[in-house]
Amino acid sequence: MSHLDHIPSTPGKFKIDKSPYTYNRVRWTSSLAKLTFWSFVFIGLIFLFFYRSPSSSANPSQSDLSRRSLRSSWGGSAWEKRVRASARIRSRNGFSVLVTGAAGFVGTHISAALKRRGDGVLGLDNFNHYYDPSLKRARQALLERTGVYIVEGDINDVALLKKLFELVQFTHVMHLAAQAGVRYAMENPSSYVHSNIAGFVSLLEVCKNANPQPAIVWASSSSVYGLNTKVPFSEKDRTDQPASLYAATKKAGEEIAHTYNYIYGLSLTGLRFFTVYGPWGRPDMAYFFFTRDILKGKSIPIFEAANHGTVARDFTYIDDIVKGCLVSLDTAEKSTGSGGKKKGPAQLRVFNLGNTSPVPVTDLVGILERLLKVKAKRNIMKLPRNGDVQFTHANISSAQRELGYKPTTDLQTGLKKFVRWYLSYYHAGDKKADA
Ligand SMILES: O=C(O)[C@H]1O[C@H](OP(=O)(O)OP(=O)(O)OC[C@H]2O[C@@H](n3ccc(=O)[nH]c3=O)[C@H](O)[C@@H]2O)[C@H](O)[C@@H](O)[C@@H]1O
């Protein structure tokens, strides 16, 4: 046996002599050289990972986040060209808007609407696996056909955000990237902190340093009203009793927005969306998976409150939400700061965007049964203590007064459009409708 046979095959390891107390000096020295070499390689890889690591996923687990971030990449001249082309304004007085969460339900609709009217739109999305990513890819393909490019990355990736602001002078940011869903917060609390708090702060940090600073419109949630019992919910009502971690992170977002407005002069508008539904919707939401399960003949859990109390939502159709978002962007005043310094007071707004007519969940199921022509297998159960509240109802007088916001789609009409889309998307192409 030559001494080469003693050189370990596994990097970073060296063989100890038969006797645990003595070792061969030659073997040790060559092993040490190997060890040093492989340590450098290893440290180099770690350095590369942290230096270049762009996106991570908001959802499943932190280890998933890191794993996925390794796979994502951005940069290069072709990439920069695509970014600039997508964000190029094509109408007089148009905006250049960065839409975060662009492959999401609301993000897709808003990106398409902005592009249609001639604004420059650049999307950003981490394509996480909270729900079927193939639906997000299909939305991406849809947007690509209209000329909207979605950068694949995470809002926590400050280097990426900085790069985007270097390439494009965004006039506005439509911030929709978030960990959504009320009930999932009990399963994966850290994903809510990661996206809705840390991610929001990282975005605001980059916006505040940008020159010029963009105006920001972002998605808060009706869930901030939490245990508030005064109806309909007005922006003046208390929001200090969240019933879920999701709601708490959205409420935290509103306070964080106040801080960045106060210190840095960022123009910020928070929109409290009320249970948004429609074509290209989210498979984790009740109207969506009820449709899927009714068609499959599976029973659906329908929540009711104590003493058979009605559980209801102010379901709001996506087109009404899009209108509310666009007019929020149009009426957003410029941020006042520059170079991270505030120059004067800036606009800070919060609006309810709801439909103003709550519908019991049982009625939602009745409408779906009629549209699908299938009887649902109803499994009535007690509202679990998982963050769901019994009732939501928006008072929209403030949005009406200041934005001219006026929802026009009732649940029956909106669900009809959703069902038509659902059937053509899943049944015509025979795609799997698993959330
Ligand atoms: O308005 C909002 O701010 C929130 O609206 C929805 O949350 P939610 O209203 O709970 O929407 P769904 O999860 O679709 O639930 C709709 C209704 O169906 C009920 N439900 C849900 C699930 C189920 O299995 N059974 C059931 O009866 C819920 O209690 C609720 O009353 C979204 O999921 C949140 O991301 C959003 O922020």
Side-chain angles (χ1 to χ4, degrees):
M1 219 190 243
S2 83
H3 77 272
L4 287 174
D5 294 318
H6 293 287
I7 295 173
S9 56
T10 314
K13 285 186 186 161
F14 58 87
K15 257 186 193 166
I16 296 179
D17 237 351
K18 279 191 187 87
S19 154
Y21 304 107
T22 57
Y23 54 84
N24 178 317
R25 211 172 179 82
V26 176
R27 226 180 291 141
W28 164 248
T29 317
S30 78
S31 296
L32 192 65
K34 275 251 158 189
L35 175 69
T36 315
F37 169 74
W38 283 111
S39 300
F40 273 118
V41 171
F42 185 62
I43 290 165
L45 281 174
I46 289 179
F47 174 77
L48 261 181
F49 168 68
F50 281 109
Y51 180 70
R52 285 285 294 124
S53 149
S55 90
S56 51
S57 143
N59 276 322
S61 65
Q62 287 301 329
S63 58
D64 276 351
L65 299 180
S66 327
R67 237 178 288 130
R68 216 161 295 133
S69 65
L70 266 176
R71 290 208 297 265
S72 184
S73 66
W74 49 267
S77 59
W79 177 84
E80 290 185 4
K81 223 170 131 190
R82 277 191 95 177
V83 166
R84 285 206 184 91
S86 187
R88 194 162 300 131
I89 301 171
R90 293 182 191 277
S91 68
R92 243 168 72 88
N93 301 325
F95 300 151
S96 181
V97 189
L98 173 66
V99 179
T100 71
F105 168 37
V106 180
T108 298
H109 282 275
I110 289 179
S111 300
L114 288 168
K115 198 73 185 179
R116 259 198 308 274
R117 66 180 208 177
D119 292 326
V121 183
L122 179 72
L124 174 66
D125 204 292
N126 67 10
F127 291 91
N128 68 45
H129 290 221
Y130 170 56
Y131 60 78
D132 180 14
S134 75
L135 179 57
K136 299 181 184 184
R137 294 294 174 190
R139 295 182 189 132
Q140 178 187 31
L142 192 79
L143 284 181
E144 227 151 63
R145 287 198 289 276
T146 71
V148 175
Y149 174 51
I150 303 182
V151 170
E152 197 160 340
D154 194 289
I155 49 172
N156 283 285
D157 187 350
V158 171
L160 169 60
L161 292 177
K162 277 188 186 158
K163 184 76 195 169
L164 296 179
F165 274 87
E166 252 170 58
L167 294 172
V168 180
Q169 287 204 347
F170 294 107
T171 56
H172 294 75
V173 173
M174 183 79 227
H175 173 49
L176 299 162
Q179 177 57 62
V182 175
R183 295 170 292 277
Y184 181 65
M186 288 179 74
E187 272 175 60
N188 190 356
S190 63
S191 68
Y192 289 79
V193 178
H194 178 78
S195 291
N196 304 356
I197 298 185
F200 192 28
V201 170
S202 113
L203 177 70
L204 293 175
E205 276 294 312
V206 175
C207 289
K208 122 216 164 198
N209 286 326
N211 228 335
Q213 292 175 333
I216 301 152
V217 177
W218 68 284
S220 182
S221 157
S222 74
S223 64
V224 299
Y225 291 107
L227 304 182
N228 173 46
T229 48
K230 187 176 154 287
V231 282
F233 300 160
S234 148
E235 291 88 345
K236 293 186 200 83
D237 293 343
R238 62 188 293 189
T239 51
D240 58 350
Q241 300 168 292
S244 64
L245 183 70
Y246 168 67
T249 59
K250 283 293 180 180
K251 177 61 187 166
E254 293 189 357
E255 310 299 0
I256 290 165
H258 179 272
T259 313
Y260 276 79
N261 170 269
Y262 175 71
I263 303 181
Y264 302 110
L266 278 177
S267 163
L268 277 144
T269 304
L271 301 174
R272 294 177 179 166
F273 295 160
F274 282 68
T275 317
V276 189
Y277 72 97
W280 296 98
R282 273 173 34 210
D284 63 314
M285 290 184 67
Y287 74 94
F288 198 116
F289 67 79
F290 282 179
T291 300
R292 180 191 67 209
D293 291 346
I294 290 171
L295 286 171
K296 278 187 180 166
K298 273 174 70 177
S299 80
I300 52 170
I302 301 172
F303 301 153
E304 66 171 23
N307 304 318
H308 305 295
T310 304
V311 172
R313 285 290 178 276
D314 197 356
F315 295 100
T316 310
Y317 189 62
I318 183 65
D319 289 1
D320 289 324
I321 290 293
V322 169
K323 278 189 245 159
C325 290
L326 294 191
V327 75
S328 297
L329 288 166
D330 292 341
T331 55
E333 290 170 8
K334 285 198 163 88
S335 293
T336 63
S338 74
K341 292 225 166 56
K342 181 180 177 178
K343 297 272 162 63
Q347 190 181 40
L348 180 69
R349 307 181 291 177
V350 172
F351 294 113
N352 285 342
L353 291 187
N355 197 48
T356 69
S357 50
V359 177
V361 177
T362 45
D363 290 10
L364 163 88
V365 175
I367 298 173
L368 287 176
E369 285 179 324
R370 283 192 294 283
L371 290 169
L372 298 168
K373 299 186 181 67
V374 181
K375 192 108 195 85
K377 291 192 181 121
R378 297 171 183 235
N379 175 18
I380 308 289
M381 53 194 283
K382 232 179 99 202
L383 187 67
R385 273 178 178 264
N386 56 8
D388 264 323
V389 294
Q390 189 180 343
F391 194 76
T392 64
H393 183 182
N395 172 336
I396 56 160
S397 51
S398 176
Q400 238 159 4
R401 196 176 53 245
E402 291 184 42
L403 306 175
Y405 169 73
K406 199 171 174 297
T408 55
T409 311
D410 61 29
L411 187 60
Q412 162 84 29
T413 312
L415 281 179
K416 198 169 167 184
K417 292 183 182 177
F418 164 71
V419 165
R420 197 181 306 141
W421 167 80
Y422 183 96
L423 294 176
S424 74
Y425 182 76
Y426 286 108
H427 288 237
D430 230 17
K431 290 186 197 74
K432 275 185 86 184
D434 295 326

